[in-house]
Amino acid sequence: MKHYVTGYKPNEDDQAFKVRIPLSLPELREIMRWTDDGDCVFDNEMSELHRQKIEDTCSIDLPKNLDLFLTTESS
């Protein structure tokens, strides 16, 4: 599975940002507080805390002016 953070301008449907993140499912389960591995198949809206944890874990900067979502694609 490949995991991405995607970003959208508020109230718009066109994707403005996408970056692959090198985290495993167990790492994401902890960050996102998932209780089931199947939770990753949905687009998950990210909170400010999620954004900060992913930035810290991956040593990346994510946009602060977009609505961010964690998405997963099969390999």
Side-chain angles (χ1 to χ4, degrees), residues 3-71:
H3 307 286
Y4 298 88
V5 173
T6 58
Y8 299 83
K9 292 180 182 178
N11 303 313
E12 292 189 19
D13 293 333
D14 293 330
Q15 189 179 80
F17 175 82
K18 182 176 181 179
V19 65
R20 185 172 177 190
I21 53 173
L23 297 177
S24 67
L25 188 55
E27 290 169 310
L28 288 172
R29 186 184 305 117
E30 183 177 329
I31 290 171
M32 298 300 288
R33 301 285 187 210
W34 291 333
T35 57
D36 184 285
D37 285 348
D39 291 337
C40 75
V41 299
F42 304 102
D43 289 348
N44 293 268
E45 188 168 6
M46 293 173 51
S47 68
E48 179 63 21
L49 182 58
H50 295 143
R51 184 186 63 75
Q52 290 173 353
K53 286 185 176 185
I54 288 176
E55 284 182 328
D56 292 345
T57 304
C58 297
S59 299
I60 60 173
D61 291 320
L62 297 171
K64 294 172 180 51
N65 62 332
L66 300 176
D67 295 332
L68 298 178
F69 293 83
L70 181 65
T71 63

